[in-house]
Amino acid sequence: MAQKSIWAVGRRKTSVARARIASGSGKITVNQKDVKDYLKNGDHLVKRALEPLFILEARDKYDILLNVSGGGVMGQVGAIRHAVARALVAFNEALKPALKKEGFLTRDNRMVERKKYGLHKARRGTQFSKR
């Protein structure tokens, strides 16, 4: 029988992460690189991205392949976290209550407000001058 693998999508700001999860030895790849090579700005980013695995104490039970695009580093970390949590639930439904309690299954829908015409930024107007 072929190994069971599940795909899930996670999003944050303008970043999108697609995660494929399968039973394995704990190998995590992001865009054909090791997760520590991809998120090399700090160990805290890796820990935050893989927080669902650390909460479940399942770091060495699953192989995860991630495709990430768009946004910046923190947006991509949030998208990875969301995708991993959704993939874990799709792989094993019994994990849902623990992940839902921690808030990993809720998509953070905060986006950058668009720039309006006549303003410098979304809300910043021109500086007032009496002259």
Side-chain angles (χ1 to χ4, degrees), residues 1 3 10-11 16-17 24 30 43 46 51-54 75 80 84 88 98-99 102 104 118 123-124:
M1 185 175 137
Q3 187 179 10
R11 293 183 178 91
V16 179
V30 181
D43 209 27
V46 175
E51 212 170 350
L53 292 172
F54 290 120
I80 289 170
V84 168
L88 286 166
L99 293 172
E102 296 293 328
F104 297 139
R123 298 182 182 206
R124 169 87 167 97

Side-chain angles (χ1 to χ4, degrees), residues 18-59:
R18 288 178 293 282
R20 191 184 107 209
I21 190 168
S23 295
S25 60
K27 184 178 181 195
I28 299 172
T29 309
V30 181
N31 293 352
Q32 288 86 42
K33 294 181 183 176
D34 185 65
V35 68
K36 289 183 179 170
D37 292 336
Y38 189 80
L39 299 172
K40 56 184 156 203
N41 290 0
D43 209 27
H44 66 282
L45 294 178
V46 175
K47 191 169 184 181
R48 184 166 170 83
L50 304 177
E51 212 170 350
L53 292 172
F54 290 120
I55 292 292
L56 299 172
E57 296 173 1
R59 176 73 170 85

